[in-house]
Amino acid sequence: MPQAIKKNAEERMDKAISALKRDLSTLRAGRATPALLDRVQVEYYGTMTPVTQLANINTPDSRTLLIQPWDKTSLGAIEKAILKSDLGLTPSNDGSTIRIGIPMLTEERRTELVKMTKRFGEEAKVAIRNVRRDANDDIKKMEKTDISEDESRRHQDDVQKVTDKFIAEVDKVLVTKEKEIMEV
């Protein structure tokens, strides 16, 4: 039974890493990628909808995003949502598509993005630690009925080792993203 708890904890920690990578993909590092717009929500007929569900997003070159909405009436709402987002991008509307030129990152913007990266990393670490707490609580509950105190301690140590491994993985992902952001 403690093995199932540890396996479940590992799966949940892996999901935290996946969520971190997904969040980091929305930060721009000087190149155009449709993932930059993943967090942009558009008010469409009274409902907040991801822009990826309202339009086709392409990258015709490394510095341009091209957004082709399926419903031409949503052009203004998409443009407004991009302007309101914290991406620092300025869309240009030509009546049927929206083009977004990705400017070169300034040093100030790069340091701001590194701070955001670290914030995402801390959120992932907190999520991993919460999983550790839940797993340890489950093991302690089992200690009262199914397993000895020594076994409980050993299983908690195993959970801590898994936690340390995933925290190190978060740090590795953050270092990689920071290097990508700071690259000129």
Side-chain angles (χ1 to χ4, degrees):
M1 187 98 130
Q3 298 301 331
I5 292 170
K6 288 189 280 188
K7 186 175 188 316
N8 181 36
E10 246 183 277
E11 289 172 358
R12 290 176 56 199
M13 289 178 188
D14 193 43
K15 287 180 183 177
I17 297 286
S18 297
L20 172 65
K21 288 178 180 177
R22 186 180 59 247
D23 287 344
L24 291 179
S25 73
T26 64
L27 296 178
R28 72 182 166 107
R31 290 184 302 277
T33 174
L36 290 174
L37 301 176
D38 281 352
R39 292 185 297 152
V40 176
Q41 297 281 316
V42 178
E43 186 171 340
Y44 186 65
Y45 291 110
T47 305
M48 295 308 284
T49 309
V51 70
T52 55
Q53 293 181 6
L54 296 174
N56 191 20
I57 303 170
N58 296 313
T59 53
D61 60 60
S62 66
R63 295 252 176 243
T64 308
L65 283 173
L66 180 65
I67 304 169
Q68 299 169 311
W70 295 305
D71 179 7
K72 301 294 184 212
T73 61
S74 66
L75 263 173
I78 293 172
E79 187 175 20
K80 194 181 303 181
I82 293 169
L83 285 170
K84 283 195 320 188
S85 72
D86 63 347
L87 296 173
L89 300 174
T90 307
S92 65
N93 180 346
D94 68 5
S96 62
T97 61
I98 296 174
R99 288 188 182 280
I100 301 174
I102 307 295
M104 293 295 290
L105 292 174
T106 62
E107 189 64 29
E108 179 181 307
R109 182 66 178 153
R110 288 179 195 277
T111 55
E112 188 179 313
L113 289 173
V114 167
K115 287 179 187 176
M116 287 177 69
T117 300
K118 289 181 180 180
R119 184 177 47 125
F120 285 140
E122 278 307 310
E123 290 171 3
K125 288 178 182 180
V126 167
I128 289 169
R129 290 181 189 124
N130 287 339
V131 171
R132 175 190 61 193
R133 184 196 62 225
D134 293 344
N136 284 340
D137 288 347
D138 291 343
I139 290 170
K140 287 176 187 174
K141 286 177 189 171
M142 290 182 67
E143 181 183 324
K144 295 176 183 173
T145 58
D146 298 337
I147 60 176
S148 70
E149 197 174 315
D150 289 339
E151 284 180 284
S152 172
R153 190 72 205 142
R154 191 176 42 222
H155 291 303
Q156 288 178 40
D157 288 343
D158 290 345
V159 169
Q160 183 60 46
K161 288 176 187 172
V162 170
T163 302
D164 292 342
K165 179 182 91 173
F166 279 98
I167 294 288
E169 177 71 19
V170 167
D171 290 336
K172 191 171 89 174
V173 169
L174 290 178
V175 166
T176 303
K177 186 64 176 183
E178 287 175 24
K179 282 182 184 174
E180 182 181 322
I181 289 171
M182 295 309 284
E183 187 178 289
V184 178

